[in-house]
Amino acid sequence: MAFSQHESLPIIALLMYLPALLIAFWKLLPRLPSYAQSIAKTLMLAQIVVILLSLLFQFQGSVTWKLVDMAKERNPASALAGLQLALVAGYSVMIAWLARSRPNGQRLYFLGLGAVFLYLTLDELFVLQNGLAYWAIYYTAIALAIVALTVIVARRSPGPARIWFACFLVGLALSALGAIALKNLHFPQACRLLGLYYIDKCLLTYVEEPMKYLGNWLALLGTMGLLSALAPAPKRGPRLLLYGLPALALLAIVNFGDPELSQVMRRSGAVETDLQFEANERVYGYQMEIAQDADYIEATLWLSAQPFDYEGLGYSVQLMDLASRKTLASRDENVTVLAGSVLGPFYLPIFRQSAHLSLPPEARANRAYWILLRLWRERQGNFASQNILKSDRQTLGDKQVILTELVVPAEPIDTPAVPRARFDNGFALYAADAPASASPAETLSLEMTWRANAEDRQDYTQFLHFIHDETSAWWVFDQQPLGARLPTRLWYGGLADSETWVIPLPADLAPGRYHVWTGLYRVDDQQRLGAADADGAPYLDALVPLGLMQIKPA
């Protein structure tokens, strides 16, 4: 029976383990005390299970694969890898503490070894290397330094300890080969010549994680052997710590191995939210990014489902025009991208999903939009929208929530050098002159040009007052300064745009001369916004004059 390339990976990985396990169980494990044998056997059994599960699911593309994939961070597989590294760190520190008969230089070596492996534990859990340029070079240099120091310390140590130093170095070499060399394998042509290229990746990169797991286990085996060879039989307190260190390390990883989700989202520039749906799906936050050329919006969500209830979970993101309530773009996606987890008795996977909303040309000109979210479940070809149980955002019905509203900026238009009015919040009005004359029932076209030198997250309405020069009778026309397409709460610094007002004059408007005034008032309390002329002189009653207009007799 012939195996395909990717189907042979479990066999390759387990065959890699076979000689190491034969030597370890035949020559090394019998030399260890009982506590060390129990820990080593338990961890080896656990990682074999993890490897089999990971290799079983890694070509299926399911959410379950993400939960058992050894290459992912902050999932049960990475917790096991972190546990092995943490135990190497802990037992190294115990050697430095208990081996008082050894020279201070050797004890300092083990203390430094503990610090290095503690950092590697944090790197396994939090992927610290992502923020470090040329990390492979630095890590390789550290590994070579550890090898050199280990050889020096081994030559000055008792003979029985040297086999454990050798075991530690073999484990370190395998771990470095998997974590650094294979992870950075960039020789696709050589890989193809060897027949090890599959789809778009070299197959050797798929065995990097099993190699790293095996290397960490051998390094741990060597460290426990050095503890038994170099340190005297510990008293009751330290002996309890020897047995309890694995449990303490696992407890620390489970409870503190994940950063606060809010911190992760804040570092990403995300906005926290509190949305809960009927099957206990939750949305913790979102992030919206507009492409530089304004041709798409990338919507990113942080969400979770109940443990082991994530298959078939999906979401729909829509872009709706605020003024017309017309949907301009939408995207449906399955939830598949695992971002992390909340470990512990009830494992909770956290997903970080991103969807691209392509913007049509009409959506790129200073218009306000809603980003709408809907969650759904797919069961046997049926897609059922999930009811919203709790929301700190406005909802449309019981299944759709308005995540946020945004505006796609446009290039500013040219404005006159001097504004007609400067408002107290940083807005400025330009080029708004009343026509010289009009007739009752006529429709006026009046262009309003605005610039925003600052943001003000409040809604304002612009008014026009037509006041008769002789009778003081007045007529009012109100609307948003740039129309319904862009409320003032979404104006941004640097905005410069105009709107042509269409004003239907009343049929019974009395003839005569009218003073035309304008200004802004807040929607929530009806208070006018202070205004001044170009020289800084305030306008009385915040009324900005636009000139005189003659209404002709009907």
Side-chain angles (χ1 to χ4, degrees):
M1 179 179 179
F3 291 97
S4 66
Q5 286 177 316
H6 69 83
E7 289 173 339
S8 64
L9 281 178
I11 299 174
I12 295 173
L14 292 179
L15 285 178
M16 180 177 63
Y17 268 63
L18 188 59
L21 292 182
L22 285 176
I23 295 174
F25 278 80
W26 178 35
K27 290 289 186 180
L28 299 177
L29 278 177
R31 301 168 181 250
L32 291 175
S34 58
Y35 82 89
Q37 292 187 34
S38 301
I39 293 171
K41 291 176 182 177
T42 302
L43 288 176
M44 176 50 63
L45 178 62
Q47 65 178 272
I48 288 177
V49 171
V50 167
I51 290 170
L52 289 175
L53 288 175
S54 181
L55 293 173
L56 177 65
F57 285 102
Q58 75 172 302
F59 292 99
Q60 297 186 10
S62 67
V63 181
T64 305
W65 166 35
K66 306 298 193 307
L67 302 182
V68 298
D69 186 5
M70 293 184 296
K72 298 297 179 182
E73 295 79 34
R74 293 186 293 278
N75 66 357
S78 69
L80 177 60
L83 175 61
Q84 292 191 139
L85 293 169
L87 289 179
V88 174
Y91 287 130
S92 296
V93 172
M94 291 195 70
I95 295 173
W97 172 35
L98 296 174
R100 294 184 175 88
S101 62
R102 306 307 305 161
N104 290 334
Q106 291 190 13
R107 296 176 68 187
L108 186 62
Y109 156 80
F110 284 108
L111 194 61
L113 201 63
V116 170
F117 273 85
L118 178 59
Y119 176 84
L120 294 176
T121 303
L122 298 175
D123 183 41
E124 178 67 35
L125 297 173
F126 303 130
V127 203
L128 302 180
Q129 61 190 239
N130 284 351
L132 185 64
Y134 309 111
W135 68 268
I137 297 175
Y138 298 139
Y139 281 39
T140 301
I142 292 172
L144 292 176
I146 291 176
V147 170
L149 291 172
T150 301
V151 171
I152 294 172
V153 173
R155 293 184 62 181
R156 299 177 181 179
S157 298
R162 292 177 183 175
I163 189 172
W164 299 116
F165 280 112
C167 179
F168 172 79
L169 287 176
V170 170
L172 183 65
L174 284 176
S175 182
L177 183 62
I180 301 176
L182 292 185
K183 192 171 184 176
N184 292 274
L185 187 65
H186 299 300
F187 305 103
Q189 298 303 325
C191 195
R192 286 191 178 95
L193 289 174
L194 294 173
L196 295 172
Y197 210 79
Y198 178 76
I199 303 179
D200 61 349
K201 195 172 184 180
C202 184
L203 279 176
L204 288 178
T205 59
Y206 287 110
V207 298
E208 69 185 45
E209 294 297 331
M211 186 175 293
K212 187 173 71 174
Y213 269 58
L214 178 59
N216 292 343
W217 183 80
L218 289 173
L220 174 60
L221 199 66
T223 306
M224 290 191 295
L226 289 170
L227 179 60
S228 63
L230 299 178
K235 298 179 181 178
R236 178 176 175 80
R239 189 164 58 247
L240 291 177
L241 184 58
L242 289 173
Y243 284 93
L245 188 59
L248 291 174
L250 183 59
L251 186 64
I253 291 172
V254 165
N255 286 280
F256 307 109
D258 286 297
E260 287 289 335
L261 183 61
S262 59
Q263 295 179 12
V264 174
M265 291 192 299
R266 277 196 294 270
R267 286 198 297 267
S268 301
V271 178
E272 292 185 61
T273 188
D274 187 10
L275 300 174
Q276 187 172 346
F277 293 78
E278 62 180 288
N280 278 334
E281 304 97 345
R282 293 190 61 186
V283 178
Y284 299 96
Y286 63 86
Q287 183 179 10
M288 303 294 161
E289 292 186 356
I290 302 174
Q292 289 186 352
D293 52 4
D295 61 350
Y296 71 88
I297 294 175
E298 183 174 13
T300 302
L301 303 173
W302 279 264
L303 67 158
S304 71
Q306 283 292 91
F308 310 108
D309 189 25
Y310 33 76
E311 296 289 359
L313 177 62
Y315 64 97
S316 299
V317 181
Q318 293 182 3
L319 179 75
M320 177 178 285
D321 184 86
L322 189 60
S324 66
R325 299 296 196 266
K326 177 184 177 182
T327 298
L328 300 180
S330 64
R331 190 68 179 265
D332 300 328
E333 294 283 352
N334 288 97
V335 171
T336 57
V337 182
L338 183 69
S341 65
V342 177
L343 299 174
F346 303 101
Y347 174 67
L348 183 64
I350 305 295
F351 300 95
R352 183 181 184 272
Q353 298 289 137
S354 293
H356 281 67
L357 294 172
S358 298
L359 296 178
E362 63 269 21
R364 305 176 193 175
N366 280 339
R367 298 188 67 89
Y369 304 97
W370 278 340
I371 300 293
L372 305 177
L373 173 68
R374 178 173 59 89
L375 294 189
W376 42 263
R377 291 279 185 165
E378 189 271 329
R379 294 286 189 269
Q380 297 179 345
N382 297 316
F383 297 86
S385 296
Q386 302 295 288
N387 290 323
I388 302 169
L389 298 183
K390 179 183 178 183
S391 175
D392 60 352
R393 296 289 188 274
Q394 181 182 349
T395 60
L396 294 181
D398 57 0
K399 300 180 186 299
Q400 203 166 32
V401 62
I402 302 173
L403 273 185
T404 189
E405 53 185 9
L406 51 81
V407 57
V408 180
E411 289 294 325
I413 64 172
D414 293 331
T415 58
V418 179
R420 176 65 61 87
R422 299 184 191 274
F423 290 85
D424 291 349
N425 66 347
F427 294 171
L429 174 64
Y430 294 79
D433 293 315
S437 63
S439 301
E442 183 180 342
T443 299
L444 297 182
S445 293
L446 184 58
E447 185 177 13
M448 300 288 183
T449 301
W450 287 90
R451 178 178 288 275
N453 298 314
E455 297 179 356
D456 187 346
R457 298 305 182 191
Q458 298 191 67
D459 283 317
Y460 291 94
T461 296
Q462 184 179 357
F463 60 82
L464 285 178
H465 286 184
F466 297 81
I467 302 178
H468 198 283
D469 187 33
E470 296 178 359
T471 66
S472 296
W474 55 294
W475 177 71
V476 175
F477 184 84
D478 294 355
Q479 75 169 35
Q480 297 178 82
L482 292 179
R485 67 181 172 94
L486 189 57
T488 57
R489 66 178 180 273
L490 295 176
W491 287 15
Y492 53 89
L495 166 74
D497 205 349
S498 63
E499 181 74 10
T500 300
W501 285 33
V502 178
I503 307 169
L505 295 178
D508 58 353
L509 191 63
R513 192 170 64 170
Y514 284 80
H515 292 274
V516 183
W517 308 83
T518 191
L520 296 174
Y521 65 85
R522 281 189 298 269
V523 173
D524 59 353
D525 61 7
Q526 307 294 300
Q527 294 297 309
R528 290 181 188 173
L529 183 62
D533 63 18
D535 296 325
Y539 286 118
L540 184 63
D541 293 331
L543 292 171
V544 179
L546 298 184
L548 292 170
M549 183 178 69
Q550 184 72 35
I551 298 296
K552 302 174 184 178

